[in-house]
Every structure is written in C-alpha cells, then in structure tokens.
Amino acid sequence: MNSLMATDFKADQLQHHGVVKTTCAYCGVGCGVLAEIDPDQTGTQQALRIQGDPAHPANFGRLCVKGSALGETVRPEGRLLYPSIGGVRADWAQATAYIADQLHTIVDAHGAEAVAFYVSGQLLTEDYYVVNKLAKGFIGTANIDTNSRLCMSSAVAGHKRAFGSDTVPNSYEDFEQADLLVLVGSNAAWCHPILFQRIKAAKAQNPNLKIVNIDPRATATNEIADLHLPIKGGMDVLLFNYLLVQLADQFALDHDYISHYTDGIEAALLSARADVAVGDAKHSVAARLGVAAEDLAQFCQWFIDTPKAMTLFSMGVNQSGQGTDKVNAILNVHLATGRIGKIGAGPFSLTGQPNAMGGREVGGLSNMLAAHMDIQNPTHRNLVQTFWQSPTIVTEQGLKAVELFDAVASGKIKAIWIMATNPIVSLPNADQVKQALADCPLVIVSEVMADTDCTRVADVLLPAMGWSEKDGTVTNSERLISRQRAVLPAAGEARPDWWALAQVAQKMGFAGFDYPHPHAVFVEHAALSAEQNSDNQVRRDFNLAGLAGLSFDEYQNLAPVQWGSKRFFAEGEFFTPNRRARIVPVSLQSTGHQPSNDYPFILNTGRLRDQWHTMSRTGLTARLTRHTSEPYAELHPDDAAQLAVKNGDILSIKSAWGSAFARVLINDGQQRGMAFVPIHWNGVNSANSRIGAVVNPVVDPFSGQPENKFTPVALCKAEFAQYGFILSAEPLSLLTEDGYAVNVRLGNGWRQEFAVSSGLDPLAFSNIPASLEYHDAAQGIQRVAWLDQNRLSRVVMVAHLANRLPPRGWLDEQLGQPIDASTRRSLLSGVAADPAADIGEIICSCFVVGKNSICRAIQTQNLTTVAAVGQCLKAGTNCGSCQSEIAKLIAQVTAQVITPADPISPAQTVLGE
Amino acid sequence: MRIVVIGHGMVGHRFVEVLAREAAANPDCSMQVTVLAEENRPAYDRVQLSAYFSGKTAEDLSLVDPTFFETSGFKLHLGKGAAEIDRAAKVVTTTAGEKIPYDKLVLATGSYPFVPPLAGKDRQDCLVYRTIEDLELMKTAAARGKVGVVVGGGLLGLEAAKALRDLGLETHVVEFAPRLMAVQIDDGAGKILRSKIAALGVGIHLGKNTTEIVDGETCRHRMNFADGSHLETDMILFSAGIRPRDELARSSGLTVGARGGIEIDNDCRTSDPDIYAIGECALWSGRIYGLVAPGYQMAETAAHAIIASEKKKPFTGADMSTKLKLLGVDVASIGDAHATTEGARSFTYVDEPNEIYKKLVVSADNKKLLGAVLIGDTDAYGGLLQLMLNNMDLPDNAQALILPSFDGAAAPALGADALPMSAQICSCNNVSKGDICSAVAAGSLDFDSIKNCTKAASSCGGCAALVKQVMNAELEKIGVEVKKDICEHFAYSRQELYHLCQVGQIKDFDDLLAKHGNGQHDGCEICKPTAASIFASLWNEHVLQKPLARLQDTNDYFMANLQKDGTYSVVPRMAGGEVTPDGLIACGMIAKQYGLYTKLTGGQRVDLFGARKEDLPAIWKLLIDAGFETGHAYGKSLRTVKSCVGSTWCRYGMMDSVSMAIVLENRYKGLRAPHKIKMAVSGCTRECAEAQSKDVGVIATEKGWNLYVCGNGGMKPRHAELFASDLDDATLIRYVDRLLMLYVKTADRLQRTSVWRDNMEGGLAYLQNVVINDSLGLCAEFEAQMQYVADTYQCEWKTTINDPEQLKRFKPFINSDQADDNVQFVEVRGQIRPATHEEKAGRINVVEMA
C-alpha cells in the first residue's frame, strides 16, 4: 500500500459526477447534503453548490446557515498542501518514515505511554478506528483522547453509569411525538438549528407541546419556550433532584418500571431529599436556583403530568465539573418515571460534533476500547486483541484531554500527534497547552489549513483532506450512520488521515494496516462490533453485524442507516451485568473555583450561530462572519453600568490562568455577575481573544470533561491610545501582540479591527499615495482610503476613541468594488449616501439579508410576523435560525425602540455609540 | 451740496450710484456731483479683466450704464485726475488745472500694482495687470513672444496667468512664498491647487526670489533667482500685491498709515471731516481691503454718511472670504483659513486623485466655524460662509459639513431656513436674507426679478446658489412650485432654456448668458454642453464653429471618443449596418496604416481604437475620401440604427428592414439631443435587431411597421413600449419626427428617452396623444424643425478637415508638433490595446539631464 499515490485518490474522487450525496461537516445533527461542483466558480473561487438532501432522515432537505455556506469554505485559500518536517518540505514517504522512526525511538526510550494522540470529532469513523487500533493495539498507549472530551464525555460517563453502555435511547422523531420537551444547557436555536426547526414545526403541529428552556441565559432558543428557567450556573443537579423528590411526593414515580428494570431508587431519593432539604424558608430551592417559585412549580407540574416527556441536554450540562452527575440527575427522573426509549419519551444527548458518536463507537476516548468495549474489562481486551491480532493491548485507561496536556507539559509525554483539532484554542488553560506543545520534543499535526495555532508549534506537518475531499462515514446524535463523500479532488498532496496513520503503522512494522480504501476499514470496524456480540457471548449495544459484509459498491452507495433499533430500554434490557439500569444517587457539589473579591464575575463560554469551533473553516466565508464579526462578552446592563462600559468597548477578561479581550455587548438576557464569551476566536485571527486561555482547568471527576461554563474572572474596561480598523484586499497580519486585534474575512478581502496602546500612522499602511484622506488631529481621527484602478483596495480608519469610528457594514461591501462618484464622496464617512444601500449587519446569513433592510421593511410595510418578513425579504425562510432575531426586531421596531436608521444588534458591538 | 469724487473705479462708481439712487428717491436733495477719472474710460469691471482675452470687449466690461451721467446730472471728467487739494479753500485742482470747489470730497483713488525693486524691472514687456491699457500692452507683448511669466502667485497673479494663457503663451507663475495663494489657503490646499494648475500646463515655480532680469538666450529675458536657477521668458507680468494711491492725501496733509493708506473712521471719514476715502486707498483700523466687496460697503457707508445719515451703516470691517474660479479651478477661502485662532481645531478632507481639498477650522469648543478652505469642490462655500458670518452654532457633527453624512447622521442642515434674517447673502451688494424674502413677498418670484430687485448675485455672482436657495425656500413657503435649475448660472430647466433660445433666436452662449444667466461668471461644464446641445438641436450649426467650440465636452471638441489612455476612437457611419466590400477594405487599410485596434460594435459598425489626437484629421480625410461620414459616436445624438437583413434575403422577413433602417439613420443623423439616441429595425417579430431595447424600435408586421418607443439597454434596461401599429413608411417617419422633436425640446440634460418617458406625467397615453392626435397642435412645427435639421445636415468631419483653423486644435502640444509619448500600446491577439499603468512604468523614455 505504500504505492498508493495521489492519482489514486483523484481517480477515486473524480468518479463522482454531478450531485454527490454527503453529510454536513458541522454539528451532531448530521444533516444530509447534496453537493455539486459549481461550474461558475473556478480557481481560487472554487466552490460547491450546496443543498439539503430531502431524502436524509436527519434534516429532510433543510440546512442551517453554516451548512448552507459549506460550498464557500472549500476554496484553496490557506490550505496546507504538502508535508513538512521541521519547516522543510518533505514528501509523504519521508514524513511518514520520519514519524515511524521517531515514535520507535521514543517508545524504546520512554515507553509507549510517552506517545499520545489527540484527535477529533471531525475525523471520520474510519480515521478514528485506525488511530485507535494503532495506539491501543499496536503502539500500546491509551494516551489517545479526542476533543469529544470537551463535548459529550459527561454524557458518555452518565450513560455508562446508568445503562452500562453509552447508548442514546431515543431518536429525533421522538421530539415530534413528545408533549413536553425540556431543553437543558442547550441553545439549540443556534447550535442545532435543524433540530430546533423540527421542534418548532412540531410545536406548530401540536398545540399541546410544551417547551421548557433551562439555561442561565435568555438565548435565541427562548423563542419557542413556554417557560424559561434561568437557573444559576452549575445548579442542574439540585433542579433535577428537586424534580425527583416532587415526582416521589406527588406519586408520579413509575414503580412498575423501577422495580422491574432499575436499581438504586432509594439511595437516589435519599440523596435528592438531602439536597433539597438544605437551607430554610429564606433559601427555598427556587431561591437557591435563582428562579421564581411558581416557575419552578410549573416545570415540575408539567413534568409530572406529561408522560411523553423528553429532556434534551447539551454542553450546558456536559461541560461542567459535575457534568456526569448532572447527566445522571436527568437520567434518574426518566428512569424513575419509566419515560425512556418510548415514543416521545426519553433523555437525549445533543452532541456537538459531526462524528462525536462515531468516535464513541470506535472507542476514541482514552477510557474506552473499540466498539463500545471497556479497557478495564479483560474479556473485552482479549476480544479486541484477538480480533486485531495485535502485539499488545492497553490495560489501563489513558489520560483524558486536560491531564494529557498536563503530561505533555510535565514532559511525561514526548510525542503527540494532533489531528483535526486545535487544543491551543479549545482547551482550558490554553496558554499552558500552547507552551507545553512548544516544548514537546515531537509534535505531529495533521491539518487542512496551513496556518493555525497548532501548525505554528508543529515539528511535522501532514496535509489532511478536508470535508468535500475525504470519504467515509459519520454517526449523528441519533445513531444514524451516513456517508461523507468526496466531491472535489484533494488540495495539493492532502491525504486521508486513515491513510497517513496506516502509512506510519506499516513503517513501524505493524501488520493489519494495508487498507486499500475506507471501505476496508469500515467493514473491519463493523465486524469487530459484531464479534461475539450476542446474549451468551459478550453482549454490547453497538452491533453493526448487518454492515460487516458490505461490498465495495454497497459501501459506496450506503444510504443513511440507524444502528440498534429506534429506541432502547423501554423494556429494560440494559447493558449492566444484571441488565438493570442504575439510578445513581447524586447531590449538588460545589466543584471547581468560586468567585472571589479578586475574580468576582463568572465566565461562561459557548457558541455563536454562524461560527464553528475555532473558525478555521467558517471563518473563511464572509457570509458567516457578517452576523458577528468580532469576539464579544455579553454583560447584564447592571454589570455594565457597574463596570462603566458601553457596547463596543473592549473588555479585559482576566482569570488566574490567563486573559483575553472582547467587545462589550450589553444584553438583559444575561444573568448578573456572569459574562458570556464565544469560544471561536483563535490566535491566528485574533491577538488576544482566545478565551480558552482564561478558562479554568477544572474537570469532571468521572468524565474528565472540562468546566467551560464557570470560571471566576475579573472584568474591566481596557483602555487604548488608538482604535481603528483596516480594510484590505490582501491578507493582513495582526498589528499588535499585546493589544486588541481581530481579522475578519470579507467578501472581497479582510478587515482587521484593532486597538493599540501607541498610535499608528495610517498613511504608513501603503507605500502608494492615498486617494482620500480625512484628518482631525484633535480627536486623532484619520481616515484614509486607497483606490486602485478606481476599485477600493484599502481603507484605514483610526481615532483616539472607539466611538469615533464609523460603522463597518457598508464599507466592508465596498472593498474591491468599483467606486462611483457618489460612493466616493461618502466613502470616508463610512455611510452610504443612499441609506437603502446599507443593508446593515447580516441577520439572515442564508439569503444575506441585513438588519437595516428588515427594519425598513417592517416599518414601511407594517409587517407584523416573521412569516410576513420572510415573504417580503426571504429572510428566515431557509434554515430559520434567524427567526427569533427577526421576531425581536419586529417587536423593537413596532415598539419604536429602534428605527431602521439606528438598529442595535449583537453584531453591532463594533459600532460603538 | 457739492460733492467731488476723485477716482472712477469700481468703488468710486458704486459711490456715485448710491448717490444717484438717493437723489432719485429724494427729489428735495440737491447735489452737484463731479467725478474725476484718471483713465480715459468710465468705470469697468476689473475683477473680470481676464475675460478681455476670452472675447469680452471693453464695452462688455463697463459698469456704467451709458445713460447714467445724463440721467443723474452728475459730471464725469475722463482722462483728468486730481493734482492738488486745498483743504482750507475746499478746492480740488485737476491735472488739467481746473479748480473744482467741494463741500464734501471723496477719495476713491484705488491702488497701484506693486513692482518689486529689482534690476531690470523696467525692461521691455515687463508689465503690470491693472487697467485695460495694461491689457493692450500685454496683447502687444504677447504677439511678439512665446513665453510669459507672472511674478506673484496670489489671487491676482493667477488671474493674470489665465490672461497669459488665453493669449496663447507658454505660461509660468513665479512666487516667492512656498505655496500659491499664501494669504487665503493653507499648505494642503496649496498642494492640490498647484497640481491642478500645473496640470493645465502652467509652470509653477514656488519659493523663488527673483534677483534680476537680464537678457535671455532663447527668450527676451532671463529671470535669475536667488537659489541660482533661472527662467527665460519674453514677457513678465508683475502681480505681487497692491499699494494704496495715497499721494494726494499725503500732499494735502491727511493722516496716512505708516505703511500707506488714508486713515478712515467707521464713517469712512479721513482726518479732515469733509473728506472721505473709500476702497483700496483707504486704511481702516490698520487694514487695507483689496477686494471689491468691502469697497462697495465703504461706498455705501460714505454716501449715506454724506447725504442720508439716517440710513448710515458704519463700516466695521469686512469679511475677506472669497470663492472664485482660478484658471478653471474652484477655490474658496473663508475666515481663519490658517487656524491661527487660539485653540482652533481643524478637520481636513483630501481626495487626491480628484484633487479636492476641504478644511474646516472650528473653535476649541467645537461650537463655531472659524474658517475654511475649499479647493476643487466649493459647493459648501455659501453655507459655510453663512455659518461663520452669522456666528451660528455648528451642528454636533461638524465633520459632516465636509464629509457627507458623517457616522450615519444626516448632513446638517445648512439650508436657507437655518439662516437668520440678517444674514448677508450677497456681500458685493449688501443684500441680506431678509431683503430677498421681502422681495419674494413683494412678488419677485423668479431669480431674474430677485436679481433685478435686490441686486443680489449681480456682481461677482458667487452667492447665486445661496440666493436661489433662499428664494426657493421662500417660494416653497408661499406654495410656489420651485423650478429645476440646470446649474448656478441659469435659473432654468433645460426645457425652458430651449424655449428661450428658440424664441430669442439665441445662437451663442455669451448671448444666452448675458440675457438669461446669473452673475458674470463664465458658465460651467453643465450649462455649456447643454447650451451647445440646444443650439445644435435648434440651429444645427457645426459643433466646432466658434463660439460653439468652447462649449463642447472633450468628445465633441475633438469629434471622437476619448479612451482610457488618452487616445481616441473613430467610428464612421455605416447606416443600417450596411457596408460595401470596398468600404470595409478602406476601413481595414486605414486601420492598418495607423495601427488601430478594430472591433465591430453592438450597433453594427466598425470602431477603430487607439487613434492619436493629432492623427484624427488625417484618418478622417481617408475615411471621407472612401465615402464615409462621421458616425457621431462622440455626440449626444443619433448613434446607429441597427437592422436585421429583412425581407431582401431572409426567409422570414416581412418587410425590407435594412432599407428602412438606412432611411431612418440618414434622416436623423446629426440630430443633437439631450442624450444619445439608438434605433433599430427588425424585419419580423423574431426581432433579430433587438428593436425593443432601443429609443426608437421598428418591427415589421404583415400590415406595416410597428413603432416601439423609449426602450433602453445599458445601465438600466427598459423594454420599449408599443406606440403605434401597422404604419406605412410616411406615417412612421412622421411619428418619429414628432416624437424625437418633443424629446429634444422637453427632456432634461443627459436624460435618455427611457427616463424621460418614465418621468412623463400622463405616460404613454399622453405621448401618443401629442404625437398621434396632435393634442398640443405642435406637430406641424415639430416636423418642420426636423426637416430643417435634416436639410442642414453636414458631416462635421468633412467640414473640419477642410478648415486649417480648426485643424490646429488637434496638435498634440500647443508649441510643438511632437507626438505625446505618454501614449503606449501593447499587442494582444494581433492588435493593440492601451498599456497598463505598470506596463507604462517600464517603458516611458526617461531623458537623463546633465
């Protein structure tokens, strides 16, 4: 297989003509996508035409804005094109031989545990399978973890504690059958937009469907909520323990189910009652949770009264120092009411990544073995080793992500291979991660993009195929396996990750890695899941027996298929030794760090509607940067007043671990004392807005999942001598290391926002004479524009105060465009002479409809509903994830809180006053 | 009362005008007024002196109504100055020895040009620029020289430079200071002004201290500068400032300032209570005002102080703000242009490629406008001046005054409404907003009558725009519809101007400007081409015939289309797209000979690109010899009539579309219109000629021609509308005649038929009613006019190549026959295209200087 050359891959890809069925690269919903090479866009403009796949059971043809923009993220710009060793270009044979040799040396000198892998939910199942096989069965290290650790490892641990297996008991269609949906720690409107739309549609169909949103913040998801419980951060266990007690006290437990299929109800209830009993009349449970007593009562009553109840939980539950307990608190109420694995009833983990579930299936985490088997279980170990015919098999759990990088930092780990993830951005205490990797003797990075935080510290770089090039399978949150297929030829010398791993494995002298095609990997994986998998053998939930015999063609043409049955556990049949579920006693713990005088605020982190993870892909298209182009910190108005900050000010966020800057965004949906900051900005597109550097390295004791939602921080306004921005047709390097700087991709170039402590001379940004200049020395205002062949090629604007800069939206659009006389006149004012030409910040990214346009339409045509706005402007009619924002605008315009001339929005953080 | 006025310049005459007005208003007032004029002609407009070289005569410049002295009974002595004043006896002795007694004496002796005391300053053709006599001397000098230098880069110096340029001299300006107009504008503005003026071919030499003038080698003189450099010239014009004519005052013992000037008080009275001094000879509060507006104010003050003290308005200084066009460049300076006020802050806006510079100077608290400098775009002048003069509070975002809609706020209102009633709108004639409002209230409802009634905008004309704004605001208040004026020079729409020209038989621009224009400015790039188009439509005279030629824009001026690299394209007419093989061969031969890029146009003809200006006549000579005519591709006129091949060849053709296209094209070629016109004729409804995207589209049917009108491709496509069906040839042409004439008469400038139609009240039905049913009774006239245009058609190029005088303009440089080597080509697909900027950078010949 060493002879597998670039041409082989290309031939493989080019067999596809016309529309290719594939699966979205983003969240765990796993939407089907129809992709086709866009014949109108070639060269650097290469793009795909993207549509939802109407036949795909996850989305039935719908796509969210991120998915819709996939076609614009596949351009050659910025791709890593060839392998390199120590910064010197190498060919694949050299690079893989070098890695094999180095790994051997390190294993010989320091033992297998000195070698680590840190992989990703972005990998395909086939990649994931091969890396686990190599690490756990051949090199013999369990130090392989994945960024799924940051995503749903608490759900895995909770599931395993309760069910004896990591099984999601229900399917998406149950959302549409339920009468009560409880969303916990999930901003589904932004993070799982297509499921959110399905729920919304279900609510429209079923007037009895009640939706409860449990979230410290009032997010876009509140749009469909009948009840919002803004509990304080970290209090979920108390809430669900209280619910369990209420169920018991109001005789709503399903004693039949409990007695037949579960263990531990007594202890769990005891523990719950103890939790609830803490405090006195002044400190009622509602007061401790921070919610109104009647709202709490309402929630409990609805849950008690509604047999078809589902609890959908996500990062707000999982990313916690007590994440596993939170999961079990949720599972407990479902087990105790027998509402599990039934039509419209059950707990459901909404996963973050496209293949988080696939990673779980292959045992991607350091505490798992392949095919839902356990490292600690000798029978499982033996089964796997035999199947693999491997020289070894790990016997102990490896290090989980945070510990793993601690071990890199301490020097215990000497070599780490990072694939498809960016831990310098996403892990807590990220500055330490950065330092650790810089110091690590061997860092191998498999990447799609040439310049990321990790490629900057890599010793060996391997170009990986990206979405639209690679070929394999992913599994979504409801256990549905779908094919990702190649549409475009590989960029440069990019290769599949499984292939790179197999090359190294073979060069290390290991047998069993001569896969000719991902098909071969998949059928081996499927065969392992089926191996001895029956009642009288080694029974597991995960069994792909039906797929183990797939022919090459069948694999190529595989339609989406759900493993297991639609539902598990309605009749027990758990995967614990006694086949009974465990109702796990949990109690509210004060984990991690608490606010103090030095760090009085709580930092909460999360995702934005239009961005994905560390932006290496979604940051490439202006369509997705136009909703929110800069990092922000949401503050309650009272906190903002106390801190004396205004919208658009730059906020300094400091914890005991690190610091970051973000723009202030005042939002009364935010809790007092808490600041919410999105996770996306990295060290390549921002100077100091990597929020991971601030997050505390607290982890859940069972899952090892980090606490990303609760870090004590100090906040203050960051003052700079000069504020400004540059628009440029050419890429821009960051202007400052210690100030504020963020690069934003625009349709025709880039914008860099910056704030620096000593002034820059805008005229120095180009060595050709400026075309237009405006100077106001007293306020330090300088605005300079350059035209090249009458096209706007560069703009620099600076001022002593941030609020003396003009808005950016209209200017952004002028970049690279021919400038007519009237545009030229208003260019330096930053505002279109014709107000209608300024559509404002993008609300609907799918159809690129701006806030100003929407407000104007609402006002001039007296639109009163989201549907009417959609009819008029198309806004909100594709993925629908902007519908709640449109609804808010309708309310604001109607109430004349805003006029089209002065819209306020999250995206307006950059505008200042 | 005996009043003697010494000096009959602009200010002296204004003084006697006020006296005459007062005398007329008050018959009881008895006055004997004697005016002594040193020059041999009555007062004339010195501000507009340079117009003398662009065709104005001394009579044109005269400020004195020929009947003025007769009517007023005042006495004017021409060619007689004052020699002596006997203050005790109150008698003035004239240079002729006459003794004229006075009760009140007014000194309006003006100033003389300052000539620096340098060796050689009195050599031949070293002149000043002050009087019409000076102009005559310049004319003589220019006739025997090629190069002229103006010493002094101030306002007057640049005016003088324009005069030299108009005289056809290679012109230079030598200035001691490091920038032009050092008094009025700052460095940044000076830089832009310099580059603009240099681009006009005027040599600018700043920071040059002339040490001597000696014999030249190539020219008559050589000016040696202190820095060792020198400049050769045949003629020198000193324009280095003025000095007050105060010698009479000195000799008669009046108090004069240490550095000259007759001291006056707020009533313009000198140290002798019976003697007044006004204008540039007067020194008020240590200042001499070298502008006409303050002189006029002094004239009013002195006149009222002498004869109508109840109307007396003390002179308390004057604003020196100016707005003018220097060598075609708009320049304005207001108040504290140099930001010398304590704590003053400034905002600057520079549009380098368009050579626009704007600076505002505001007070430290950002509340008041202190000054401004505007170059290239002076539209804001009137509003800014009012803000400063009336000490009005600035809007919060003062920046928006030069940066439109700064930070999203609407541009602050500088509208007439914001001004106080006392705001002085016309400073030449001291007309306030209140005066204009009263005039409107009293029934002056158009600009001309406001001008006549108040005199506003009748001198320098700089306030015309503001006067109109005030007037319009008042008119709107009283519910009168406000007209759409084409520009500040004409308070009329194009349609109105058209009628004025037609009714008044006006055939040249000066005539039009004199009869219906505002102020004494020269017109602009809006009204001049508009007038040219109207004249062409009406009288169909050759576009390059004087005085029409200077009205044309570049395309019409050279009768070719200017391309991006400065070369021109040439399009011979091929009516209906029909061309003989010989014709094609001729085009090909010519293109080959001159290395032209050849392309077929969308209008079915051959376009030849890359012709140098100097080759245009020769190329056209060949084309005309080959039987071609001009295609008018440069004109706002009929371009082409596109056609399909029609029934002669095509199996589907219903009628002979080619023949009809040729008939139409030959009938309407040469018709000048508000914008270009395109037509097409299709032989059947398959519409191969795309007639429905044309201004006039004709489609053949079984029963005749269908006429479509007012379509447009281009920037904003519009489908033509079916206007009439099943027409015979004669009716079709009749309708097109009428329609086009109506368009020519009523459309705004640069308005295509599509927009014209969209803006037409009553829409298509109205148009059909006028053209088909003759609802206005004008159709006979329309047809006659169109027939006149058709009958008087001449190929403009044919006329041009036979006129040596007109051929001169095609020389690349005024003084040289050398080709312009800035024109560079690159070969692509076997033909030339213009070199890009980068390509040129590597190619231009650089001559090393020893």
Side-chain angles (χ1 to χ4, degrees), chain B residues 158-349:
Chain B
L158 295 177
E159 274 290 325
K162 176 175 187 326
L164 291 186
R165 202 161 152 272
D166 288 344
L167 284 167
L169 297 181
E170 177 188 322
T171 306
H172 297 268
V173 173
V174 171
E175 166 62 48
F176 179 70
R179 65 168 175 271
L180 295 171
M181 290 184 70
V183 179
Q184 291 90 356
I185 63 175
D186 64 342
D187 277 338
K191 203 173 119 199
I192 297 273
L193 182 62
R194 179 190 180 169
S195 86
K196 280 183 103 98
I197 291 178
L200 296 168
V202 175
I204 306 282
H205 311 267
L206 299 177
K208 296 289 185 192
N209 180 12
T210 312
T211 52
E212 57 174 357
I213 305 167
V214 296
D215 282 342
E217 282 171 24
T218 57
C219 296
R220 180 168 300 127
H221 315 291
R222 168 177 160 142
M223 301 171 72
N224 286 330
F225 304 126
D227 61 6
S229 60
H230 63 85
L231 181 65
E232 298 241 331
T233 178
D234 295 312
M235 161 181 186
I236 297 173
L237 214 49
F238 290 103
S239 185
I242 54 161
R243 295 292 182 267
R245 298 265 313 258
D246 56 7
E247 63 277 6
L248 208 52
R250 280 175 198 274
S251 62
S252 52
L254 295 177
T255 311
V256 293
R259 294 165 65 197
I262 309 162
E263 284 193 358
I264 56 167
D265 64 11
N266 288 4
D267 289 344
C268 300
R269 206 186 299 249
T270 66
S271 54
D272 180 332
D274 290 323
I275 303 180
Y276 293 76
I278 56 177
E280 291 174 338
C281 65
L283 180 73
W284 178 86
S285 192
R287 292 194 68 174
I288 286 178
Y289 290 94
L291 291 178
V292 71
Y296 281 176
Q297 286 177 39
M298 292 181 193
E300 303 258 353
T301 301
H304 289 131
I306 292 167
I307 56 151
S309 54
E310 75 283 357
K311 290 190 186 170
K312 189 178 74 183
K313 214 187 210 175
F315 179 81
T316 53
D319 174 54
M320 296 293 282
S321 303
T322 40
K323 174 194 165 196
L324 62 167
K325 213 174 193 110
L326 289 171
L327 289 153
V329 180
D330 288 307
V331 179
S333 164
I334 295 174
D336 182 9
H338 296 288
T340 51
T341 311
E342 173 95 29
R345 308 173 37 189
S346 59
F347 316 124
T348 321
Y349 171 80

Side-chain angles (χ1 to χ4, degrees), chain B residues 485-503:
Chain B
D485 303 349
I486 62 160
C487 71
E488 60 176 292
H489 301 102
F490 291 96
Y492 302 102
S493 66
R494 184 187 182 277
Q495 186 176 355
E496 289 165 328
L497 275 183
Y498 187 97
H499 285 296
L500 288 172
C501 292
Q502 187 179 25
V503 172

